[in-house]
Amino acid sequence: MCVTLLPLPASISPPSLISCNCICQKAQGDARSNSDNSIVLLTLKMSQAQPRRPGADDQQQQPIKYGDLFDVLGDLAQKPIAPEDAAMMQTAEATIMGRTQKGGPAAVMQSAAARNEGAGFVGHRDVTDVAGDQGVTVTETDVPGRRIITESVGGQVVGRHEEPTPVSLAPTAGRVEQGAITIGEALETTAQTAGDKPVDQSDAAAIQAAEVRATGSTVTTPGGLAASAQSAAAHNETVDRDEDKIKLSQVLAGATAKLAADKAVTPQDAEGIASAEQRNNPNVDTHPGGVAASVAAAARLNENVNG
């Protein structure tokens, strides 16, 4: 397996043009080098073939398996697509691309998982052992004039496409200036200022963006802040009463200790996190006292201290 769900170092220095196989090898190499060009890893891999959608009129008498939709082999091909698999892929796609790709692996997996759950083949919190142990990965590689995005499950590619606009790597993470407020501390503040707010998709997107900026890694780890937030948002969508929903305080309490690395909040961090929250809010806005607001306040305080 070339990539895992364990947090990867902040940056990897690749050559200007690198193949998918080289990406995996490079990820295991000098993980501490700084780089301003090419590679971002998000544990999710996709195959070269486009996903095949199940027929809408087919009567479902058995679960939809990975092998029914993707060009995968071995044990993975026989595994039913589970809701937590789809949730991890959705989080990974949103982190790398800023959105869930229409008709992409995450969307296909979500549809299949919903059908499997509705038919009683899987439970709402189920995850396949392959995805849980080996992870879902999205790999972004910048080359001159375009970026290549590859998505995988358990090390097997389930989708790949290219975009013309290159995307630069996030700033190096893991360095905290003395006296500065960190991203983890800002998230813990949110647990106090908006702790009673039920977690929704905009919160989950903002928390995911904050985790990526804090750690410099786009790996989605089961049980981490981003995965917990995405799971909470998905759960809350199925619950009617607010009192039965998972709240921000439950996800963000002790956020600093849950991050693999942390860094001082910058205005660029605040802008990126606010953008993620707005894109996933139907009103295209941020929540007062929420994740984006707390990070923005921390960035302003840090600016005043450094100024």
Side-chain angles (χ1 to χ4, degrees):
M1 182 179 66
C2 54
V3 269
T4 70
L5 281 174
L6 297 176
L8 294 179
S11 62
I12 300 171
S13 179
S16 60
L17 178 59
I18 191 165
S19 70
C20 187
N21 288 335
C22 291
I23 291 171
C24 297
Q25 296 168 1
K26 194 65 180 175
Q28 297 171 358
D30 180 8
R32 295 292 179 185
S33 61
N34 294 329
S35 172
D36 293 328
N37 65 349
S38 88
I39 245 178
V40 173
L41 290 178
L42 181 78
T43 298
L44 286 168
K45 276 191 177 178
M46 297 166 61
S47 70
Q48 306 298 328
Q50 293 298 315
R52 302 187 299 274
R53 293 183 176 275
D57 296 329
D58 293 345
Q59 184 176 5
Q60 187 172 356
Q61 298 179 350
Q62 57 181 334
I64 301 170
K65 304 179 182 69
Y66 277 96
D68 297 329
L69 304 181
F70 304 107
D71 186 15
V72 295
L73 303 173
D75 191 36
L76 179 62
Q78 303 304 316
K79 296 293 182 181
I81 298 176
E84 286 297 315
D85 299 17
M88 285 193 291
M89 183 62 84
Q90 180 187 38
T91 299
E93 276 193 10
T95 300
I96 288 295
M97 295 180 278
R99 66 191 187 283
T100 298
Q101 183 186 6
K102 184 177 181 180
V108 172
M109 289 170 64
Q110 286 173 327
S111 176
R115 291 180 62 179
N116 284 345
E117 182 180 354
F121 294 115
V122 296
H124 184 67
R125 295 298 181 89
D126 283 358
V127 58
T128 62
D129 53 358
V130 176
D133 295 340
Q134 301 179 43
V136 294
T137 306
V138 171
T139 304
E140 175 188 83
T141 306
D142 288 341
V143 296
R146 69 187 190 282
R147 65 174 182 170
I148 303 170
I149 297 174
T150 305
E151 302 181 51
S152 307
V153 176
Q156 297 196 53
V157 177
V158 296
R160 180 175 180 173
H161 75 281
E162 298 183 7
E163 295 183 357
T165 304
V167 175
S168 61
L169 283 172
T172 301
R175 297 177 298 186
V176 179
E177 299 175 16
Q178 187 174 6
I181 301 171
T182 68
I183 289 176
E185 291 169 339
L187 293 177
E188 291 178 352
T189 299
T190 307
Q192 301 297 321
T193 59
D196 292 332
K197 180 183 182 297
V199 181
D200 60 23
Q201 291 296 337
S202 67
D203 300 318
I207 292 169
Q208 173 68 33
E211 186 178 76
V212 168
R213 287 178 172 272
T215 64
S217 170
T218 53
V219 176
T220 301
T221 305
L225 279 179
S228 297
Q230 184 59 55
S231 178
H235 167 77
N236 288 348
E237 289 178 348
T238 68
V239 177
D240 293 329
R241 301 194 309 168
D242 281 355
E243 54 265 37
D244 296 330
K245 295 182 179 181
I246 300 172
K247 309 301 193 299
L248 277 173
S249 60
Q250 296 172 265
V251 174
L252 295 178
T256 299
K258 297 175 183 177
L259 291 171
D262 207 356
K263 67 183 288 289
V265 182
T266 66
Q268 292 74 26
D269 296 327
E271 181 180 351
I273 292 166
S275 177
E277 186 169 320
Q278 290 171 336
R279 285 197 307 267
N280 290 273
N281 186 325
N283 297 321
V284 195
D285 200 1
T286 59
H287 182 76
V291 175
S294 295
V295 173
R300 288 192 298 269
L301 290 172
N302 287 347
E303 286 267 279
N304 292 336
V305 170
N306 295 332

